Amino acid sequence: MCSFAVGIPPEQVKDKIDIYRQAVRACTRPVGAFVNHRAATFTMTVCAPSESEAWETARESFEWYPKTGARLIGTVAEWMAERNQDLGNYGYAADMNAHDKDGSLDLLTLDYLTESGACVLGTPADCIETCRRYEEAGVDLLLCLVNPYKIGHEHVMRTIEMMGTEVIHEFRD
């Protein structure tokens, strides 16, 4: 399972993982040669030497990315409605459209994203703490989006280096 859950706290991702794993356990005739029970999700990530530097680096991009993505997804619902077509597997687009219309997307501030754990942001210690929440939620593979919107190359490279040297080793078996 790969959950595209930008802006969603790990505990809500867990709900989706639990549904997936329950369905996998109930499957008696898998389509393929084996069943993959692993779960992956991705989240925006900035790791920096100081919390203030991380927040300054992330603020504009971390607020822009989920709002803009959700609004674009929401346009699919409008586009399909104009053509009198059923959304089918894209039913979530109607939810995104409704969240845009009711102003909920505007609540996706950096404060909210960080407090809810819906992004990995801060010092290596902060990043470890948030990554632990994803681990506790049952995420086997955390994909770190390090370059949303306007995060510059030097900040991307520093995040990759710091995650590699100071964070990942905390999660080795």
Side-chain angles (χ1 to χ4, degrees), residues 25-166:
R25 281 191 302 276
C27 179
T28 58
R29 293 180 39 192
V31 174
F34 68 95
V35 175
N36 186 345
H37 69 278
R38 297 185 53 159
T41 193
F42 80 101
T43 188
M44 300 177 292
T45 304
V46 167
C47 190
S50 72
E51 191 174 297
S52 62
E53 186 177 344
W55 278 62
E56 183 179 322
T57 299
R59 183 170 300 280
E60 180 181 9
S61 295
F62 277 29
E63 291 183 351
W64 179 89
Y65 187 83
K67 291 175 188 176
T68 302
R71 286 185 173 114
L72 287 172
I73 291 167
T75 64
V76 171
E78 292 178 354
W79 184 78
M80 299 282 282
E82 289 171 4
R83 287 155 184 74
N84 293 321
Q85 292 180 312
D86 180 50
L87 286 171
N89 290 338
Y90 297 98
Y92 63 90
D95 295 337
M96 294 300 102
N97 193 37
H99 292 313
D100 186 20
K101 301 293 184 216
D102 72 11
S104 298
L105 293 180
D106 294 324
L107 300 175
L108 291 173
T109 64
L110 189 58
D111 290 322
Y112 167 79
L113 294 169
T114 304
E115 289 169 14
S116 68
C119 66
V120 175
L121 177 64
T123 65
D126 297 327
C127 293
I128 289 168
E129 183 180 326
T130 305
C131 288
R132 288 264 181 247
R133 288 177 64 184
Y134 281 98
E135 181 180 51
E136 290 167 9
V139 172
D140 299 303
L141 180 62
L142 183 62
L143 306 169
C144 295
L145 177 61
V146 297
N147 64 340
Y149 194 45
K150 290 186 176 181
I151 294 182
H153 179 74
E154 67 282 355
H155 296 291
V156 168
M157 296 308 291
R158 185 185 57 224
T159 291
I160 293 169
E161 180 179 357
M162 293 184 82
M163 292 294 287
T165 60
E166 301 185 45

